[in-house]
Amino acid sequence: MIKELIIDSSPNGATIALLQDKQLVELHKEQNTNNYTVGDLYLGRIKKIMPSLNAAFVDVGYEKDAFLHYLDLGPQVQSLLKLTKQVRSGGYQSKLLDNFKLEADINKGGKISDVLSKGVLVPVQIAKEPISTKGPRLSSDLSIAGRYVVLVPFSEVISISKKIKSNTERNRLRKVVESIKPKHFGVIIRTVSEGKGVDELQKDLLDLISKWEVFVTKLHGTEPSRKVLGEIGRTSTILRDILNPDFQHIYTNDQGMYEEIRSYIHEISPEMEGIVRLHKHKEPLFEHHGIDKQIKGAFGKTVNLAGGAYLVIEHTEALHVIDVNSGNRTANKENQEENAYQVNKEAAKEIARQLRLRDMGGIVVVDFIDMHKPTNRKELFDYLKAQMADDRAKHTILPPSKFGLIQITRQRVRPEMNIVTSEICPACNGTGTIRPTVLLLDDIENNFNFILEEQNEKNITLCVHPYIEAYIKKGIFNRQMKWYFKYNQWIKVKTNPAYQLTEFHFFSGKDEEIKL
């Protein structure tokens, strides 16, 4: 599988497209004005305790208070509160936790009012970006993610990704991390750590420790409700999480972004630094790589599939519904079951892509075409799971119900990607109505009076739709001839097939458009 990353940079931010075998599978927008990215660390101030929800509303500077549930506090929240108080008062000078005495874990079934109170300052991490009318979702179980490992303060636990199956490799990684991790820090070993040496793991861990030291240093003087430590940009996050030897090219159209990406890749994977390319063509970056066309075809209510089938995707506040239709696909009457199975497999592949592309989260209900054979339903279910294996968002797929519906839950941490693919009609400007065609020539002649008599233009050309040109030139004593006698000069009439029926423009003798 060949992967490419295309980054279209603009003054307002960047749009990031991930291609697999030239097909668009992920689209992200990184806005310069977005201060609430998943992973950012803030110094929050408790605004209100809600005992009925066992949660608190926290001021992190957003227009709406953020939400912090008791279950998201983390077992070592008392240690975090203690460290925060000591650092801000100047009573704790060390940046690591070697000399710090940990507090006891909180009770999993406890009450938030026993831990937090109004006005308390607590470091929090953005777990979900603001979505719709809701503020950010927070967690005080802090973690700092790197390429190979994740650093978890106030813990001694070493966790290993379940995707690493080899017991030998798991034991090796555990021993390596145990030998290099600092005291009172837990570590989560990521899947990409498999096969990596001590030097690479240690370098990644040291980078995370330095970030923690920056966090502790800034914690002393940061104003409440302000950001203490920001997550790396969306581009770097994607590279950190998915960069592998399958990547062939990374294209960007911005010199600064080009240098930044090369520098970041040089740090995490020096041998791949050469895949970064700076786009220098006059043609826009996304248009050059065919991404604009794919975006127009992939977003919207209806998504067409190659075999003639299509998907209808409806969105609501609580869930997403996807209906699979066979469309004009030729069905073999003698084998409708096989035809339904093939259409459903084709749809399952596209659905897995659509979930990643639109970043659809929450509950997704898919209505596949009915199949009667249990073996076909089982194979479709397994095929859908296999297609979604590359999806980095946490998800769960339930087997088909007795109604033939498959339910999917997918983690939602940021707003869904929504792109309007329809365009305003150039003829009516979105009103649904146009000026009466019988008045078209009157409009043209009114403009002639202004251009020829008041502006005294010479040798002008009228450019119209081919149908209108044919009408103007029809007959011997036609409209063009009448204009010659009326205005005492010959008016050229040219056509442009791209024009709408009632569209017309005037050009001067120098072939410059006359603005009206």
Side-chain angles (χ1 to χ4, degrees):
M1 183 180 293
I2 298 174
K3 294 183 179 180
E4 295 175 295
L5 203 63
I6 317 294
I7 304 156
D8 184 17
S9 184
S10 68
N12 296 325
T15 304
I16 307 156
L18 175 63
L19 306 184
Q20 288 182 356
D21 295 332
K22 298 297 182 181
Q23 187 180 41
L24 181 66
V25 293
E26 286 186 25
L27 191 67
H28 304 269
K29 286 196 174 182
E30 182 180 9
Q31 295 181 336
N32 294 334
T33 56
N34 183 18
N35 294 322
Y36 298 90
T37 303
V38 173
D40 285 350
L41 297 175
Y42 280 77
L43 181 61
R45 183 194 294 276
I46 305 298
K47 288 287 292 293
K48 188 186 296 183
I49 300 293
M50 302 293 290
S52 59
L53 299 175
N54 204 16
F57 285 103
V58 186
D59 179 16
V60 290
Y62 189 65
E63 57 190 29
K64 293 195 174 183
D65 291 335
F67 185 78
L68 175 64
H69 194 271
Y70 181 83
L71 297 177
D72 294 322
L73 291 178
Q76 275 291 321
V77 65
Q78 295 286 18
S79 298
L80 177 63
L81 292 170
K82 176 182 173 182
L83 178 72
T84 303
K85 189 178 292 185
Q86 290 183 0
V87 169
R88 290 186 66 81
S89 65
Y92 189 81
Q93 301 299 325
S94 174
K95 294 179 181 178
L96 293 178
L97 302 175
D98 296 5
N99 303 318
F100 185 80
K101 184 179 178 181
L102 298 180
E103 297 294 305
D105 290 0
I106 62 172
N107 181 7
K108 289 184 179 180
K111 297 180 179 179
I112 197 164
S113 55
D114 297 335
V115 180
L116 300 175
S117 58
K118 184 178 178 180
V120 168
L121 298 180
V122 54
V124 289
Q125 192 162 28
I126 304 294
K128 284 187 180 181
E129 295 177 12
I131 298 174
S132 186
T133 59
K134 301 175 184 177
R137 177 78 181 258
L138 304 178
S139 170
S140 57
D141 192 7
L142 307 185
S143 63
I144 305 176
R147 176 157 171 76
Y148 301 119
V149 297
V150 179
L151 190 68
V152 184
F154 312 111
S155 173
E156 300 290 353
V157 177
I158 297 176
S159 304
I160 304 175
S161 169
K162 294 179 181 178
K163 293 182 180 179
I164 300 177
K165 303 297 184 183
S166 170
N167 287 328
T168 304
E169 179 63 10
R170 293 173 70 89
N171 291 332
R172 183 189 74 86
L173 290 171
R174 185 182 298 277
K175 289 178 181 178
V176 168
V177 171
E178 279 179 346
S179 66
I180 60 177
K181 86 173 187 67
K183 185 179 179 182
H184 297 328
F185 281 95
V187 174
I188 301 172
I189 302 173
R190 308 183 71 176
T191 309
V192 289
S193 299
E194 190 169 11
K196 301 302 177 184
V198 179
D199 291 344
E200 292 169 293
L201 295 175
Q202 186 172 26
K203 181 180 180 301
D204 195 40
L205 189 58
L206 289 174
D207 287 342
L208 299 183
I209 292 170
S210 66
K211 286 185 178 181
W212 170 259
E213 291 176 339
V214 170
F215 167 75
V216 173
T217 302
K218 288 186 174 181
L219 187 61
H220 175 72
T222 299
E223 292 291 322
S225 309
R226 301 292 182 184
K227 186 188 295 186
V228 184
L229 184 68
E231 172 67 294
I232 59 177
R234 187 75 58 84
T235 306
S236 299
T237 303
I238 293 171
L239 290 172
R240 179 191 70 194
D241 293 344
I242 65 175
L243 186 67
N244 60 40
D246 290 339
F247 270 84
Q248 296 291 314
H249 301 104
I250 299 174
Y251 296 98
T252 182
N253 57 354
D254 180 75
Q255 182 70 39
M257 179 74 74
Y258 169 76
E259 298 292 344
E260 179 185 333
I261 294 171
R262 279 182 64 93
S263 174
Y264 183 73
I265 291 183
H266 180 75
E267 289 181 12
I268 64 172
S269 191
E271 71 279 2
M272 298 185 69
E273 187 179 346
I275 68 174
V276 187
R277 299 279 191 275
L278 181 63
H279 180 78
K280 296 181 179 179
H281 296 276
K282 292 183 179 180
E283 192 178 23
L285 180 60
F286 272 20
E287 188 177 333
H288 180 76
H289 291 276
I291 297 172
D292 280 339
K293 185 176 181 181
Q294 289 197 54
I295 290 174
K296 292 291 184 182
F299 287 85
K301 180 178 177 180
T302 303
V303 178
N304 295 313
L305 305 180
Y310 63 95
L311 308 177
V312 177
I313 303 176
E314 295 278 7
H315 305 281
T316 70
E317 183 71 21
L319 57 84
H320 311 274
V321 180
I322 302 177
D323 185 34
V324 180
N325 294 277
S326 58
N328 59 7
R329 181 170 178 142
T330 304
N332 184 347
K333 294 182 179 179
E334 297 178 358
N335 199 351
Q336 292 182 352
E337 178 79 10
E338 180 62 25
N339 187 71
Y341 175 64
Q342 293 300 328
V343 171
N344 283 339
K345 279 190 68 175
E346 188 180 341
K349 183 177 181 180
E350 180 61 26
I351 288 168
R353 171 178 173 247
Q354 286 290 327
L355 294 180
R356 293 176 66 187
L357 192 56
R358 302 186 188 213
D359 205 5
M360 292 161 60
I363 301 172
V364 182
V365 179
V366 185
D367 182 13
F368 284 102
I369 299 172
D370 290 342
M371 296 184 297
H372 301 291
K373 291 183 179 179
T375 53
N376 284 346
R377 291 198 293 268
K378 175 68 166 57
E379 286 182 16
L380 175 64
F381 175 62
D382 292 339
Y383 183 76
L384 180 59
K385 287 202 297 184
Q387 290 299 313
M388 291 190 65
D390 291 333
D391 195 337
R392 289 177 290 127
K394 294 179 182 177
H395 60 271
T396 303
I397 308 172
L398 298 181
S401 69
K402 64 180 181 179
F403 299 114
L405 305 176
I406 286 184
Q407 300 169 68
I408 304 169
T409 60
R410 188 174 182 274
Q411 183 185 31
R412 177 167 67 171
V413 296
R414 56 180 60 91
E416 176 194 344
M417 178 65 67
N418 185 25
I419 295 177
V420 178
T421 57
S422 57
E423 299 175 352
I424 294 176
C425 171
C428 69
N429 289 321
T431 63
T433 59
I434 61 173
R435 244 178 100 69
T437 52
V438 295
L439 300 180
L440 177 63
L441 291 180
D442 289 344
D443 290 340
I444 292 174
E445 290 182 4
N446 288 336
N447 282 294
F448 278 154
N449 293 331
F450 174 76
I451 294 170
L452 300 176
E453 296 178 3
E454 295 189 26
Q455 291 195 188
N456 199 29
E457 287 279 355
K458 301 293 183 183
N459 301 319
I460 69 167
T461 300
L462 170 66
C463 199
V464 293
H465 188 275
Y467 286 168
I468 304 303
E469 185 248 6
Y471 176 78
I472 291 172
K473 294 184 176 182
K474 181 181 178 181
I476 299 175
F477 196 65
N478 52 39
R479 285 276 180 172
Q480 193 175 21
M481 188 65 70
K482 290 179 181 179
W483 291 338
Y484 173 72
F485 288 113
K486 183 176 181 179
Y487 300 110
N488 294 319
Q489 62 173 289
W490 185 254
I491 298 169
K492 298 176 184 176
V493 180
K494 291 185 177 180
T495 66
N496 189 332
Y499 283 7
Q500 301 299 318
L501 183 64
T502 58
E503 184 180 359
F504 60 88
H505 296 275
F506 298 98
F507 294 87
S508 67
K510 297 180 180 179
D511 206 27
E512 297 174 349
E513 184 176 355
I514 301 172
K515 301 293 184 181
L516 300 173

PDB file of all heavy atoms in Angstrom, residues 112-136:
ATOM      1  N   ILE A 112     -17.303  13.553  43.341  1.00  0.00           N
ATOM      2  CA  ILE A 112     -16.383  14.610  42.904  1.00  0.00           C
ATOM      3  C   ILE A 112     -16.287  15.724  43.944  1.00  0.00           C
ATOM      4  O   ILE A 112     -15.261  16.386  44.066  1.00  0.00           O
ATOM      5  CB  ILE A 112     -16.810  15.165  41.525  1.00  0.00           C
ATOM      6  CG1 ILE A 112     -15.636  15.932  40.885  1.00  0.00           C
ATOM      7  CG2 ILE A 112     -18.066  16.030  41.639  1.00  0.00           C
ATOM      8  CD1 ILE A 112     -15.804  16.194  39.416  1.00  0.00           C
ATOM      9  N   SER A 113     -17.352  15.912  44.732  1.00  0.00           N
ATOM     10  CA  SER A 113     -17.337  16.956  45.755  1.00  0.00           C
ATOM     11  C   SER A 113     -16.342  16.639  46.863  1.00  0.00           C
ATOM     12  O   SER A 113     -15.942  17.542  47.607  1.00  0.00           O
ATOM     13  CB  SER A 113     -18.746  17.140  46.334  1.00  0.00           C
ATOM     14  OG  SER A 113     -19.250  15.909  46.815  1.00  0.00           O
ATOM     15  N   ASP A 114     -15.942  15.359  46.990  1.00  0.00           N
ATOM     16  CA  ASP A 114     -14.942  14.989  47.994  1.00  0.00           C
ATOM     17  C   ASP A 114     -13.524  15.287  47.523  1.00  0.00           C
ATOM     18  O   ASP A 114     -12.578  15.267  48.332  1.00  0.00           O
ATOM     19  CB  ASP A 114     -15.047  13.490  48.331  1.00  0.00           C
ATOM     20  CG  ASP A 114     -16.376  13.126  48.965  1.00  0.00           C
ATOM     21  OD1 ASP A 114     -16.995  14.029  49.574  1.00  0.00           O
ATOM     22  OD2 ASP A 114     -16.808  11.963  48.817  1.00  0.00           O
ATOM     23  N   VAL A 115     -13.361  15.544  46.231  1.00  0.00           N
ATOM     24  CA  VAL A 115     -12.029  15.757  45.657  1.00  0.00           C
ATOM     25  C   VAL A 115     -11.809  17.204  45.253  1.00  0.00           C
ATOM     26  O   VAL A 115     -10.747  17.787  45.512  1.00  0.00           O
ATOM     27  CB  VAL A 115     -11.823  14.837  44.426  1.00  0.00           C
ATOM     28  CG1 VAL A 115     -10.441  15.041  43.823  1.00  0.00           C
ATOM     29  CG2 VAL A 115     -12.037  13.383  44.788  1.00  0.00           C
ATOM     30  N   LEU A 116     -12.820  17.816  44.610  1.00  0.00           N
ATOM     31  CA  LEU A 116     -12.695  19.172  44.082  1.00  0.00           C
ATOM     32  C   LEU A 116     -13.713  20.104  44.729  1.00  0.00           C
ATOM     33  O   LEU A 116     -14.748  19.655  45.217  1.00  0.00           O
ATOM     34  CB  LEU A 116     -12.898  19.173  42.563  1.00  0.00           C
ATOM     35  CG  LEU A 116     -11.934  18.326  41.724  1.00  0.00           C
ATOM     36  CD1 LEU A 116     -12.364  18.339  40.264  1.00  0.00           C
ATOM     37  CD2 LEU A 116     -10.497  18.827  41.864  1.00  0.00           C
ATOM     38  N   SER A 117     -13.414  21.375  44.711  1.00  0.00           N
ATOM     39  CA  SER A 117     -14.350  22.384  45.189  1.00  0.00           C
ATOM     40  C   SER A 117     -14.228  23.623  44.304  1.00  0.00           C
ATOM     41  O   SER A 117     -13.254  23.782  43.565  1.00  0.00           O
ATOM     42  CB  SER A 117     -14.071  22.738  46.655  1.00  0.00           C
ATOM     43  OG  SER A 117     -12.735  23.193  46.802  1.00  0.00           O
ATOM     44  N   LYS A 118     -15.201  24.499  44.396  1.00  0.00           N
ATOM     45  CA  LYS A 118     -15.231  25.688  43.549  1.00  0.00           C
ATOM     46  C   LYS A 118     -13.984  26.547  43.763  1.00  0.00           C
ATOM     47  O   LYS A 118     -13.556  26.774  44.897  1.00  0.00           O
ATOM     48  CB  LYS A 118     -16.483  26.505  43.852  1.00  0.00           C
ATOM     49  CG  LYS A 118     -16.660  27.707  42.946  1.00  0.00           C
ATOM     50  CD  LYS A 118     -17.949  28.451  43.252  1.00  0.00           C
ATOM     51  CE  LYS A 118     -18.088  29.682  42.356  1.00  0.00           C
ATOM     52  NZ  LYS A 118     -19.344  30.422  42.635  1.00  0.00           N
ATOM     53  N   GLY A 119     -13.372  26.986  42.665  1.00  0.00           N
ATOM     54  CA  GLY A 119     -12.211  27.866  42.723  1.00  0.00           C
ATOM     55  C   GLY A 119     -10.879  27.155  42.725  1.00  0.00           C
ATOM     56  O   GLY A 119      -9.831  27.803  42.563  1.00  0.00           O
ATOM     57  N   VAL A 120     -10.875  25.825  42.877  1.00  0.00           N
ATOM     58  CA  VAL A 120      -9.619  25.073  42.905  1.00  0.00           C
ATOM     59  C   VAL A 120      -8.968  25.078  41.521  1.00  0.00           C
ATOM     60  O   VAL A 120      -9.651  24.964  40.498  1.00  0.00           O
ATOM     61  CB  VAL A 120      -9.877  23.624  43.379  1.00  0.00           C
ATOM     62  CG1 VAL A 120      -8.656  22.747  43.143  1.00  0.00           C
ATOM     63  CG2 VAL A 120     -10.250  23.609  44.849  1.00  0.00           C
ATOM     64  N   LEU A 121      -7.633  25.195  41.478  1.00  0.00           N
ATOM     65  CA  LEU A 121      -6.887  25.127  40.218  1.00  0.00           C
ATOM     66  C   LEU A 121      -6.422  23.695  39.999  1.00  0.00           C
ATOM     67  O   LEU A 121      -5.831  23.079  40.893  1.00  0.00           O
ATOM     68  CB  LEU A 121      -5.687  26.059  40.247  1.00  0.00           C
ATOM     69  CG  LEU A 121      -5.969  27.552  40.414  1.00  0.00           C
ATOM     70  CD1 LEU A 121      -4.670  28.345  40.419  1.00  0.00           C
ATOM     71  CD2 LEU A 121      -6.896  28.064  39.317  1.00  0.00           C
ATOM     72  N   VAL A 122      -6.686  23.157  38.812  1.00  0.00           N
ATOM     73  CA  VAL A 122      -6.279  21.787  38.499  1.00  0.00           C
ATOM     74  C   VAL A 122      -5.818  21.717  37.044  1.00  0.00           C
ATOM     75  O   VAL A 122      -6.529  22.176  36.143  1.00  0.00           O
ATOM     76  CB  VAL A 122      -7.438  20.788  38.755  1.00  0.00           C
ATOM     77  CG1 VAL A 122      -8.697  21.190  38.011  1.00  0.00           C
ATOM     78  CG2 VAL A 122      -7.025  19.372  38.390  1.00  0.00           C
ATOM     79  N   PRO A 123      -4.639  21.182  36.778  1.00  0.00           N
ATOM     80  CA  PRO A 123      -4.213  20.971  35.381  1.00  0.00           C
ATOM     81  C   PRO A 123      -5.115  19.936  34.713  1.00  0.00           C
ATOM     82  O   PRO A 123      -5.419  18.888  35.296  1.00  0.00           O
ATOM     83  CB  PRO A 123      -2.784  20.445  35.517  1.00  0.00           C
ATOM     84  CG  PRO A 123      -2.326  20.895  36.858  1.00  0.00           C
ATOM     85  CD  PRO A 123      -3.555  20.850  37.722  1.00  0.00           C
ATOM     86  N   VAL A 124      -5.573  20.236  33.513  1.00  0.00           N
ATOM     87  CA  VAL A 124      -6.463  19.340  32.771  1.00  0.00           C
ATOM     88  C   VAL A 124      -5.967  19.210  31.337  1.00  0.00           C
ATOM     89  O   VAL A 124      -5.219  20.060  30.840  1.00  0.00           O
ATOM     90  CB  VAL A 124      -7.915  19.860  32.767  1.00  0.00           C
ATOM     91  CG1 VAL A 124      -8.544  19.727  34.142  1.00  0.00           C
ATOM     92  CG2 VAL A 124      -7.988  21.305  32.277  1.00  0.00           C
ATOM     93  N   GLN A 125      -6.411  18.140  30.678  1.00  0.00           N
ATOM     94  CA  GLN A 125      -6.018  17.866  29.294  1.00  0.00           C
ATOM     95  C   GLN A 125      -7.271  17.783  28.441  1.00  0.00           C
ATOM     96  O   GLN A 125      -8.288  17.217  28.862  1.00  0.00           O
ATOM     97  CB  GLN A 125      -5.241  16.559  29.234  1.00  0.00           C
ATOM     98  CG  GLN A 125      -4.544  16.305  27.906  1.00  0.00           C
ATOM     99  CD  GLN A 125      -3.461  15.240  28.055  1.00  0.00           C
ATOM    100  OE1 GLN A 125      -3.529  14.360  28.905  1.00  0.00           O
ATOM    101  NE2 GLN A 125      -2.429  15.316  27.219  1.00  0.00           N
ATOM    102  N   ILE A 126      -7.207  18.357  27.229  1.00  0.00           N
ATOM    103  CA  ILE A 126      -8.357  18.310  26.321  1.00  0.00           C
ATOM    104  C   ILE A 126      -8.526  16.884  25.814  1.00  0.00           C
ATOM    105  O   ILE A 126      -7.641  16.339  25.144  1.00  0.00           O
ATOM    106  CB  ILE A 126      -8.184  19.274  25.125  1.00  0.00           C
ATOM    107  CG1 ILE A 126      -7.928  20.704  25.609  1.00  0.00           C
ATOM    108  CG2 ILE A 126      -9.413  19.222  24.225  1.00  0.00           C
ATOM    109  CD1 ILE A 126      -9.062  21.347  26.338  1.00  0.00           C
ATOM    110  N   ALA A 127      -9.671  16.257  26.155  1.00  0.00           N
ATOM    111  CA  ALA A 127      -9.973  14.903  25.689  1.00  0.00           C
ATOM    112  C   ALA A 127     -10.850  14.932  24.451  1.00  0.00           C
ATOM    113  O   ALA A 127     -10.757  14.058  23.593  1.00  0.00           O
ATOM    114  CB  ALA A 127     -10.657  14.101  26.794  1.00  0.00           C
ATOM    115  N   LYS A 128     -11.739  15.942  24.368  1.00  0.00           N
ATOM    116  CA  LYS A 128     -12.573  16.159  23.180  1.00  0.00           C
ATOM    117  C   LYS A 128     -12.621  17.640  22.891  1.00  0.00           C
ATOM    118  O   LYS A 128     -12.787  18.454  23.801  1.00  0.00           O
ATOM    119  CB  LYS A 128     -14.003  15.645  23.416  1.00  0.00           C
ATOM    120  CG  LYS A 128     -14.173  14.143  23.369  1.00  0.00           C
ATOM    121  CD  LYS A 128     -15.656  13.774  23.452  1.00  0.00           C
ATOM    122  CE  LYS A 128     -15.857  12.261  23.406  1.00  0.00           C
ATOM    123  NZ  LYS A 128     -17.298  11.908  23.474  1.00  0.00           N
ATOM    124  N   GLU A 129     -12.473  17.981  21.627  1.00  0.00           N
ATOM    125  CA  GLU A 129     -12.559  19.379  21.229  1.00  0.00           C
ATOM    126  C   GLU A 129     -14.010  19.854  21.329  1.00  0.00           C
ATOM    127  O   GLU A 129     -14.925  19.038  21.362  1.00  0.00           O
ATOM    128  CB  GLU A 129     -12.039  19.556  19.798  1.00  0.00           C
ATOM    129  CG  GLU A 129     -10.558  19.244  19.660  1.00  0.00           C
ATOM    130  CD  GLU A 129     -10.067  19.357  18.222  1.00  0.00           C
ATOM    131  OE1 GLU A 129     -10.816  19.899  17.388  1.00  0.00           O
ATOM    132  OE2 GLU A 129      -8.946  18.913  17.938  1.00  0.00           O
ATOM    133  N   PRO A 130     -14.234  21.175  21.384  1.00  0.00           N
ATOM    134  CA  PRO A 130     -15.616  21.676  21.403  1.00  0.00           C
ATOM    135  C   PRO A 130     -16.377  21.185  20.175  1.00  0.00           C
ATOM    136  O   PRO A 130     -15.895  21.309  19.047  1.00  0.00           O
ATOM    137  CB  PRO A 130     -15.441  23.198  21.366  1.00  0.00           C
ATOM    138  CG  PRO A 130     -14.051  23.437  21.869  1.00  0.00           C
ATOM    139  CD  PRO A 130     -13.246  22.260  21.444  1.00  0.00           C
ATOM    140  N   ILE A 131     -17.554  20.604  20.400  1.00  0.00           N
ATOM    141  CA  ILE A 131     -18.374  20.062  19.321  1.00  0.00           C
ATOM    142  C   ILE A 131     -19.779  20.635  19.436  1.00  0.00           C
ATOM    143  O   ILE A 131     -20.385  20.573  20.513  1.00  0.00           O
ATOM    144  CB  ILE A 131     -18.420  18.523  19.361  1.00  0.00           C
ATOM    145  CG1 ILE A 131     -17.023  17.930  19.156  1.00  0.00           C
ATOM    146  CG2 ILE A 131     -19.370  17.968  18.304  1.00  0.00           C
ATOM    147  CD1 ILE A 131     -16.950  16.422  19.327  1.00  0.00           C
ATOM    148  N   SER A 132     -20.267  21.214  18.336  1.00  0.00           N
ATOM    149  CA  SER A 132     -21.617  21.773  18.295  1.00  0.00           C
ATOM    150  C   SER A 132     -21.766  22.821  19.394  1.00  0.00           C
ATOM    151  O   SER A 132     -20.998  23.769  19.461  1.00  0.00           O
ATOM    152  CB  SER A 132     -22.643  20.639  18.420  1.00  0.00           C
ATOM    153  OG  SER A 132     -23.952  21.126  18.249  1.00  0.00           O
ATOM    154  N   THR A 133     -22.735  22.640  20.291  1.00  0.00           N
ATOM    155  CA  THR A 133     -22.980  23.621  21.341  1.00  0.00           C
ATOM    156  C   THR A 133     -22.249  23.285  22.632  1.00  0.00           C
ATOM    157  O   THR A 133     -22.419  23.981  23.635  1.00  0.00           O
ATOM    158  CB  THR A 133     -24.491  23.689  21.635  1.00  0.00           C
ATOM    159  OG1 THR A 133     -24.948  22.386  22.038  1.00  0.00           O
ATOM    160  CG2 THR A 133     -25.268  24.136  20.413  1.00  0.00           C
ATOM    161  N   LYS A 134     -21.448  22.243  22.627  1.00  0.00           N
ATOM    162  CA  LYS A 134     -20.783  21.792  23.852  1.00  0.00           C
ATOM    163  C   LYS A 134     -19.364  22.338  23.934  1.00  0.00           C
ATOM    164  O   LYS A 134     -18.686  22.494  22.925  1.00  0.00           O
ATOM    165  CB  LYS A 134     -20.739  20.263  23.893  1.00  0.00           C
ATOM    166  CG  LYS A 134     -22.123  19.605  23.846  1.00  0.00           C
ATOM    167  CD  LYS A 134     -21.990  18.092  23.756  1.00  0.00           C
ATOM    168  CE  LYS A 134     -23.366  17.432  23.619  1.00  0.00           C
ATOM    169  NZ  LYS A 134     -23.259  15.962  23.454  1.00  0.00           N
ATOM    170  N   GLY A 135     -18.927  22.583  25.170  1.00  0.00           N
ATOM    171  CA  GLY A 135     -17.551  22.985  25.401  1.00  0.00           C
ATOM    172  C   GLY A 135     -16.634  21.774  25.349  1.00  0.00           C
ATOM    173  O   GLY A 135     -17.077  20.646  25.111  1.00  0.00           O
ATOM    174  N   PRO A 136     -15.337  21.963  25.595  1.00  0.00           N
ATOM    175  CA  PRO A 136     -14.399  20.829  25.558  1.00  0.00           C
ATOM    176  C   PRO A 136     -14.695  19.805  26.653  1.00  0.00           C
ATOM    177  O   PRO A 136     -15.234  20.144  27.710  1.00  0.00           O
ATOM    178  CB  PRO A 136     -13.034  21.492  25.796  1.00  0.00           C
ATOM    179  CG  PRO A 136     -13.239  22.954  25.545  1.00  0.00           C
ATOM    180  CD  PRO A 136     -14.656  23.234  25.878  1.00  0.00           C
TER     181      PRO A 136
END
